[in-house]
Amino acid sequence: GSLLVMVYFSMQDFELGFSLSNLFEMAEDDEINRKPDAIFMFGVPPTTNKPEGNETVFFDDVDSNMMVATIPHRDEYGYFGYLKKMILTLHNIIMIKRGYLPYHGAMVRITIRNKGCFTILLVGDSGAGKSETIEALRVIGKKDVEDLLIIADDMGSIALPASGKPRGYGTEIGAFLRVDDLGPGYAFGQMDGAIIMSAARTNARIIIPVTPFENIVKGHDIEFVLYANNYEETGPDKPVIERFKTCEEALNVFREGKVMSKGTTTSTGIVGSYFANIFGPPQYRELHEEIAERYFKAFFSSGVFVGQLRTKLGVSGFERTGQEESARALLETILTE
């Protein structure tokens, strides 16, 4: 986003470090003369004896108003996700401390022919079907969708202006996606601007630029806030899109943060994390809870559509069709609102 994070990496990890240029906007020369909001050192010399607990750590230096993070050079941390997520953790914590509501999700600005513009935020953990639903919407909505602008692919924040609707911001200019979740041949179609990692493995990933920096920092009024539910099948009592009736009902679903894990991390099966975001909110839960309650009340009072979208991406047999069904339901909901 608009934060300045200085990232240092060892030359042993250069292929991971340089790949950040496909994901985040590089700072200009005149920008790096000011005090950064955070400093992150990836690949620092590890201690002789591996300590107990997590070695991916951050420190909140309150006195100097600075966040600092380190990850040691060990084989188990030789994965791009560690670089990306630590930077986003620093972002989320800073935004929480400034009174913003960070989110783990995808945000898009859709222009519907003869209908206008709508900003949609899909919140959910990895593998919930956020990016996949948006890509499916781009394909099936050619008749009605004039433009689809990506504001955030993974993380961002929401602000509450003095008047009007809540406004959404992004963090990344790129996307870090599972190749298996994309349509056949999609990764090869993006070859000219893509970085592909672990191409022959189960969790193969692709890093591609998806949006200009101006889009993620501009700020967009939000019309839809939806939780991406990938673990429930749809039926008469469980529609693809379900609008929450109360603020507390919505908060309960978002707090639980359930997802059917697809093996993108060490977890499998249905797991839950606070607001589907282990990168900042749980560490500052008391402060985040206060902010979340205030923001969700503002969602309801300002007429934002708050609900959940059942993508079925984690349900066996619906890995491909689920995202198309959720995209169609989302388009129909926009057209009838």
Side-chain angles (χ1 to χ4, degrees):
S2 59
L3 302 183
L4 176 63
V5 181
M6 303 292 285
V7 182
Y8 298 85
F9 53 90
S10 69
M11 287 308 295
Q12 296 168 299
D13 303 294
F14 75 90
E15 75 280 10
L16 298 177
F18 290 141
S19 297
L20 287 172
S21 61
N22 250 23
L23 192 71
F24 295 110
E25 179 77 357
M26 299 289 287
E28 300 291 341
D29 289 345
D30 58 340
E31 293 176 307
I32 61 175
N33 291 322
R34 72 173 176 88
K35 177 183 175 182
D37 297 290
I39 293 175
F40 174 31
M41 290 168 281
F42 184 84
V44 300
T47 55
T48 304
N49 297 314
K50 188 172 181 180
E52 294 292 329
N54 196 348
E55 291 182 287
T56 64
V57 297
F58 66 85
F59 175 66
D60 185 356
D61 191 335
V62 178
D63 292 338
S64 63
N65 192 28
M66 175 79 71
M67 298 293 302
V68 182
T70 65
I71 294 179
H73 177 72
R74 293 189 189 275
D75 289 344
E76 55 264 47
Y77 302 125
Y79 173 58
F80 186 73
Y82 280 104
L83 266 168
K84 165 187 163 81
K85 293 300 187 183
M86 180 60 86
I87 294 171
L88 293 174
T89 298
L90 297 172
H91 164 271
N92 291 346
I93 293 170
I94 293 170
M95 301 315 283
I96 290 172
K97 294 178 69 176
R98 294 182 182 181
Y100 294 82
L101 179 65
Y103 60 80
H104 184 187
M107 183 180 289
V108 293
R109 183 75 167 167
I110 298 177
T111 303
I112 302 294
R113 188 171 287 107
N114 302 322
K115 188 76 174 177
C117 297
F118 301 85
T119 299
I120 301 165
L121 170 60
L122 299 179
V123 173
D125 213 336
S126 299
K130 307 179 297 293
S131 300
E132 295 79 8
T133 296
I134 291 170
E135 189 56 39
L137 183 63
R138 189 195 303 274
V139 175
I140 69 170
K142 289 180 179 178
K143 187 178 93 172
D144 299 296
V145 178
E146 288 186 346
D147 188 34
L148 195 153
L149 180 70
I150 294 177
I151 302 165
D153 179 74
D154 189 27
M155 295 274 183
S157 61
I158 305 172
L160 286 183
S163 61
K165 291 185 177 180
R167 293 180 67 78
Y169 301 84
T171 54
E172 305 126 285
I173 61 168
F176 181 49
L177 305 172
R178 276 170 49 100
V179 173
D180 290 346
D181 292 336
L182 301 172
Y186 180 85
F188 293 101
Q190 303 293 320
M191 188 71 77
D192 58 338
I195 297 173
I196 299 178
M197 297 181 169
S198 305
R201 299 186 180 180
T202 302
N203 194 24
R205 294 279 186 150
I206 182 172
I207 312 171
I208 50 174
V210 294
T211 192
F213 180 67
E214 293 74 19
N215 293 341
I216 69 176
V217 296
K218 178 181 177 181
H220 304 264
D221 291 344
I222 301 173
E223 281 77 33
F224 292 83
V225 176
L226 301 170
Y227 186 82
N229 173 338
N230 78 336
Y231 55 90
E232 288 184 332
E233 292 196 43
T234 54
D237 299 327
K238 294 181 179 179
V240 179
I241 292 185
E242 178 184 3
R243 189 169 191 169
F244 295 124
K245 296 180 177 65
T246 66
C247 179
E248 193 55 42
E249 181 186 10
L251 279 168
N252 286 338
V253 171
F254 281 80
R255 281 194 194 103
E256 288 181 343
K258 289 183 180 179
V259 68
M260 176 68 76
S261 178
K262 302 175 65 181
T264 59
T265 62
T266 56
S267 303
T268 56
I270 295 181
V271 296
S273 58
Y274 180 63
F275 274 81
N277 191 356
I278 63 173
F279 309 102
Q283 292 85 354
Y284 289 75
R285 181 160 183 158
E286 186 175 343
L287 180 56
H288 181 277
E289 187 68 20
E290 176 188 321
I291 294 172
E293 289 186 10
R294 178 159 50 89
Y295 273 69
F296 271 74
K297 288 177 181 176
F299 293 161
F300 278 83
S301 64
S302 61
V304 174
F305 186 113
V306 184
Q308 62 178 325
L309 175 68
R310 292 182 171 91
T311 68
K312 298 192 289 190
L313 200 68
V315 179
S316 179
F318 293 95
E319 293 87 351
R320 295 289 184 197
T321 60
Q323 59 208 47
E324 296 174 3
E325 186 179 338
S326 60
R328 286 194 180 90
L330 183 56
L331 181 58
E332 290 173 7
T333 302
I334 296 172
L335 290 172
T336 55
E337 271 296 301

